[in-house]
């Protein structure tokens, strides 16, 4: 007897969902990554506030401390505390960023060209439009266009710290979108620093750094283990990269990108994931907060705040962060969805995308760094640019906080639905709707509950009969 013909499967829809539900592994990774970023963001916020208070209340002690020099001058590393924080500690931050980028490229959303198109287009628009806003403001106002890259960066840790402070719960899809935006943002910020802020090259030092990176890559491929091998080598590579004229944080990115971020059959975590887990607390808990402590301290006065909105350079930064970021990311997302015929997740609305785009206007760590690099010859303007970054980020935080609060009840319901685990197996129920064993477990749970209610009903009926009987 011939086997019955298989029933035709429904044809897939041509339309994809924008900001749809994540896969369970991706959801868990995003949750863990953002949990660590949130803690680091709170520390970053504390460090920034401390720097502002210190710089405005303790006379000249703040400038004295961050201007204090130390380090081996014979190696070209006699640097101020501020430069050690910006060139040394931020290399750790960019090392973690390199690992995150590598993981996204090989195992995350960016590994699928169709899935990557949306956040990449949104991130590119979210960098191009702020830069355009800055250039237009300074062209019209007769200011310097050297700071065009300052408002292009997003600080994911600071953005998540704002979410933690205002108590807003974002669904995992929006959080993943924000994280992927920040990763792509970091990639292009790295390219901007490498291409546009490179001093006169020292080819001998650069050649030594390249050789060191080649040795680093070879040791990884040979499976050599031991921090005592890699940490000294990383320090040598960093020192050579600093002396080469290329910003030293590029060394951190390069080493992060070399780590393997795919798992083998016998591995619970890839080497990249394992090292990121070890180094991320150092980056988020020490490196970035110390950079903020020695970079965010600017003198704040009524006149200084007025200058932020009157000088074209500083006004361009504020408008770039507040207006350019929101319009760029929202517009890029809408255009990507429009031309790929993708549909927005049914549970979300376009104002949700605009709120997250506004949140991405919080540019702190990388914006401060680029501000220092862009106006290194003008300390006064550098401090004014830093003040503009702080004010622009504050306005973006307040605006996004208001927009997100308006939808917080909806977000909370979505988060509760994502976390619900009625069968107590450690996997959210929303990911098990197509598994027969899940429904069998739930049937057993409800049968037990029904049996317990029947027993209680019988006990209640018996007690009532006793009460209604003869005295």
């Amino acid at each position: 007897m011939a086997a019955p013909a298989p029933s035709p499967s429904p044809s897939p829809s041509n339309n994809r969902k924008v900001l749809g539900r994540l896969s369970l592994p991706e959801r868990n990774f995003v949750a863990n990554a953002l949990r660590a970023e949130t803690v680091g963001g709170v520390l970053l916020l504390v460090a920034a506030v401390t720097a502002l208070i210190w710089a405005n209340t303790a006379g000249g002690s703040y400038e004295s401390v961050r201007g204090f020099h130390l380090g081996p001058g014979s190696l070209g590393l006699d640097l101020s505390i501020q430069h050690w924080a910006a060139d040394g500690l931020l290399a750790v931050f960019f090392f973690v960023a390199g690992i995150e980028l590598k993981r996204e490229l090989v195992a995350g959303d960016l590994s699928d060209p169709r899935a990557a198109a949306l956040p990449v287009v949104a991130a590119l628009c979210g960098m191009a439009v702020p830069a355009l806003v800055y250039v237009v403001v300074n062209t019209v106002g007769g200011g310097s266009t050297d700071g065009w890259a300052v408002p292009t960066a997003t600080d994911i840790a600071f953005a998540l710290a704002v979410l933690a402070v205002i108590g807003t719960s974002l669904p995992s899809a929006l959080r993943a979108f924000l994280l992927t935006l920040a990763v792509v943002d970091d990639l292009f910020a790295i390219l901007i620093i490498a291409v546009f802020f490179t001093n006169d090259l020292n080819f001998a030092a650069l050649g030594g750094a390249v050789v060191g990176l080649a040795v680093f890559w070879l040791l990884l491929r040979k499976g050599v283990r031991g921090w005592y091998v890699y940490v000294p080598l990383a320090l040598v590579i960093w020192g050579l990269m600093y002396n080469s004229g290329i910003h030293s944080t590029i060394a951190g990115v390069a080493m992060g990108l070399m780590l393997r971020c795919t798992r083998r059959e016998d591995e619970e975590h890839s080497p990249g994931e394992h090292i990121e887990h070890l180094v991320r607390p150092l980056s988020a808990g020490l490196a970035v907060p110390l950079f903020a402590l020695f970079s965010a301290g600017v003198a704040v006065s009524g006149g200084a705040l007025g200058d932020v909105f009157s000088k074209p350079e500083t006004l361009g930064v504020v408008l770039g962060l507040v207006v350019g970021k929101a319009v760029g990311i929202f517009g890029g997302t809408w255009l990507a969805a429009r031309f790929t015929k993708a549909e927005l997740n049914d549970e979300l609305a376009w104002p949700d995308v605009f709120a997250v785009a506004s949140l991405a206007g919080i540019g702190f760590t990388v914006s401060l760094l680029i501000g220092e690099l862009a106006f290194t010859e003008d300390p006064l303007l550098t401090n004014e640019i830093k003040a503009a970054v702080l004010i622009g980020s504050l306005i973006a935080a307040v605006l996004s906080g208001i927009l997100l609060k308006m939808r917080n009840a909806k977000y909370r319901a979505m988060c509760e639905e994502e976390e619900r685990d009625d069968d107590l197996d450690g996997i959210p129920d929303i990911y098990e709707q197509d598994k027969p064993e899940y429904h069998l477990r739930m049937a057993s749970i409800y049968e037990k509950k029904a049996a317990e209610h029947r027993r209680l009903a019988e006990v209640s009926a018996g007690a009532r009969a006793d009460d209604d009987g003869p005295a």
Side-chain angles (χ1 to χ4, degrees):
M1 182 178 176
S7 58
S9 58
S11 59
S13 171
N14 291 328
N15 293 340
R16 297 181 297 109
K17 291 294 182 183
V18 176
L19 304 179
R21 186 187 309 151
L22 303 177
S23 66
L24 183 58
E26 188 68 12
R27 170 193 171 276
N28 292 338
F29 171 81
V30 168
N32 292 333
L34 294 184
R35 193 175 298 117
E37 291 282 8
T38 301
V39 175
V42 173
L43 293 175
L44 180 61
L45 187 59
V46 171
V49 172
T50 302
L52 287 170
I53 294 173
W54 186 5
N56 287 276
T57 59
S61 66
Y62 180 77
E63 291 294 337
S64 298
V65 171
R66 74 174 180 177
F68 182 77
H69 278 245
L70 69 160
S74 59
L75 298 178
L77 297 174
D78 181 18
L79 310 177
S80 67
I81 297 289
Q82 183 180 4
H83 278 108
W84 276 113
D87 293 272
L89 292 178
L90 276 196
V92 179
F93 166 79
F94 278 102
F95 174 70
V96 174
I99 299 175
E100 288 177 341
L101 176 60
K102 178 67 173 290
R103 186 204 165 273
E104 287 291 325
L105 289 171
V106 300
D109 285 345
L110 300 182
S111 61
D112 178 4
R114 285 172 57 86
L118 179 71
V120 169
V121 170
L124 284 173
C125 292
M127 299 185 80
V129 175
L132 180 62
V133 168
Y134 180 93
V135 170
V136 169
V137 169
N138 281 271
T139 300
V140 173
S144 170
T145 57
D146 291 346
W148 63 270
V150 175
T152 61
T154 293
D155 195 306
I156 182 66
F158 220 133
L160 292 171
V162 170
L163 287 178
V165 170
I166 65 177
T168 299
S169 300
L170 278 186
S172 59
L174 285 176
R175 287 178 175 264
F177 179 62
L178 183 61
L179 178 62
T180 308
L181 273 177
V183 170
V184 178
D185 202 300
D186 284 343
L187 168 63
F188 287 101
I190 291 160
L191 293 176
I192 287 172
I193 291 171
V195 174
F196 295 99
F197 298 104
T198 294
N199 300 321
D200 295 334
L201 290 176
N202 180 332
F203 288 99
L206 180 59
V210 171
V211 171
L213 288 170
V215 172
F216 188 89
W217 179 85
L218 185 61
L219 292 174
L220 289 173
R221 291 300 171 270
K222 295 294 184 180
V224 176
R225 296 177 179 270
W227 64 268
Y228 46 84
V229 174
Y230 291 103
V231 171
L233 178 58
L235 291 174
V236 171
I237 294 170
W238 173 86
L240 289 168
M241 189 70 75
Y242 177 83
N243 282 284
S244 73
I246 296 176
H247 200 269
S248 54
T249 53
I250 303 301
V253 176
M255 287 184 279
L257 287 171
M258 289 182 181
L259 294 175
R260 178 170 58 82
C261 292
T262 52
R263 301 178 189 178
R264 292 173 178 166
E265 292 183 0
D266 58 339
E267 292 178 336
E268 184 177 354
H269 301 288
S270 68
E273 292 171 324
H274 176 67
I275 293 173
E276 181 189 10
H277 179 73
L278 295 176
V279 179
R280 185 183 287 276
L282 175 63
S283 171
L286 182 66
V288 176
L290 282 178
F291 167 76
L293 180 63
F294 293 113
S295 292
V298 293
V300 178
S301 65
L305 293 178
D307 288 343
V308 166
F309 295 98
S310 61
K311 288 190 174 183
E313 293 90 352
T314 50
L315 180 60
V317 169
V318 173
L319 292 179
L321 288 172
V322 177
V323 179
K325 272 289 183 183
V327 172
I329 292 174
F330 178 81
T333 306
W334 186 87
L335 288 173
R338 174 70 177 80
F339 288 104
T340 59
K341 296 184 178 180
E343 295 177 349
L344 189 65
N345 184 352
D346 295 335
E347 296 177 307
L348 297 173
W350 282 109
D352 299 318
V353 179
F354 186 81
V356 172
S358 300
L359 187 64
I362 300 174
F364 190 77
T365 305
V366 179
S367 289
L368 290 177
L369 175 61
I370 294 177
E372 291 181 358
L373 296 174
F375 299 102
T376 185
E377 302 298 328
D378 190 341
L380 178 60
L381 186 54
T382 298
N383 281 337
E384 292 173 341
I385 290 293
K386 288 181 180 180
V389 169
L390 295 175
I391 292 172
S393 297
L394 177 61
I395 295 173
V398 172
L399 174 63
S400 61
I402 293 171
L403 294 175
L404 291 169
K405 272 292 188 182
M406 293 170 62
R407 294 271 290 170
N408 197 39
K410 177 67 175 179
Y411 297 152
R412 189 181 299 113
M414 292 177 66
C415 288
E416 290 173 356
E417 181 65 18
E418 290 176 357
E419 297 295 329
R420 190 164 56 86
D421 183 20
D422 289 341
D423 62 341
L424 304 177
D425 67 340
I427 300 175
D429 296 342
I430 200 168
Y431 290 97
E432 299 188 287
Q433 297 302 311
D434 59 344
K435 296 181 179 179
E437 54 270 24
Y438 160 75
H439 294 287
L440 291 174
R441 285 196 300 271
M442 291 304 301
S444 175
I445 290 171
Y446 284 125
E447 286 167 1
K448 291 179 181 178
K449 288 182 177 180
E452 177 63 15
H453 282 293
R454 281 193 290 269
R455 185 187 69 79
L456 292 174
E458 292 171 357
V459 171
S460 177
R464 181 176 296 178
D466 291 341
D467 291 341
D468 294 341

